[in-house]
């Protein structure tokens, strides 16, 4: 059974930093892309950043220049990270890890809350 386990959310002051982590397990197929989406109260889920299995990152305009996505393609333990810097109150949301598993489809983590507030 495929699992995406997230960690690293929490409360941070404006201008601070957080690092989100997500570890994928339970798949015998490769993962072509991983990434992060977020959903704020009353809003639709939106892209934050994705990264291919070749390490190519893609960022939303709101994340460009402040967030860095990275990935560790270790055998049987694919992980993705999101380093978030210069956080703003509008970054407050539940952040979801995403993985596109080859021949199987899309999977989502359970979400981790990020709150940016003084």
């Amino acid at each position: 059974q495929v699992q995406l386990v997230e960690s690293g959310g929490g409360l941070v002051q404006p201008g601070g930093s957080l690092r989100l982590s997500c570890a994928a397990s339970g798949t015998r197929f490769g993962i072509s892309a991983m990434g992060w989406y977020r959903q704020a109260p009353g809003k639709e889920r939106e892209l934050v950043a994705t990264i291919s299995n070749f390490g190519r990152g893609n960022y939303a305009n709101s994340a460009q220049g402040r967030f860095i996505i990275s990935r560790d393609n270790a055998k049987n333990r694919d992980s993705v990270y999101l380093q978030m810097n210069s956080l703003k109150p509008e970054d407050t949301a539940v952040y979801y890890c995403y993985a596109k598993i080859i021949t199987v489809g899309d999977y989502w983590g359970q979400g981790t809350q990020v709150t940016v507030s003084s």
Side-chain angles (χ1 to χ4, degrees):
Q1 182 178 356
V2 177
Q3 285 189 314
L4 298 177
V5 180
E6 300 141 331
S7 62
L11 173 65
V12 64
Q13 292 186 344
S17 298
L18 280 177
R19 186 173 189 252
L20 304 183
S21 301
C22 174
S25 62
T27 176
R28 56 190 179 97
F29 299 104
I31 299 177
S32 61
M34 298 188 77
W36 295 91
Y37 286 68
R38 68 186 183 187
Q39 188 166 17
K43 295 187 177 181
E44 295 186 352
R45 190 173 296 188
E46 63 178 8
L47 168 74
V48 178
T50 59
I51 186 167
S52 73
N53 52 359
F54 299 107
R56 181 175 181 178
N58 176 56
Y59 296 88
N61 289 337
S62 59
Q64 190 75 41
R66 298 187 300 127
F67 296 0
I68 300 172
I69 190 168
S70 60
R71 184 170 172 179
D72 181 2
N73 292 359
K75 186 177 181 180
N76 298 325
R77 190 75 176 182
D78 214 328
S79 299
V80 64
Y81 308 93
L82 187 68
Q83 177 67 41
M84 303 187 293
N85 302 316
S86 303
L87 283 162
K88 306 173 182 180
E90 51 263 43
D91 294 317
T92 296
V94 177
Y95 284 69
Y96 295 92
C97 177
Y98 160 80
K100 179 178 288 293
I101 300 175
I102 296 170
T103 75
V104 178
D106 299 339
Y107 280 81
W108 297 89
Q110 79 283 359
T112 185
Q113 177 70 45
V114 171
T115 302
V116 185
S117 175
S118 56

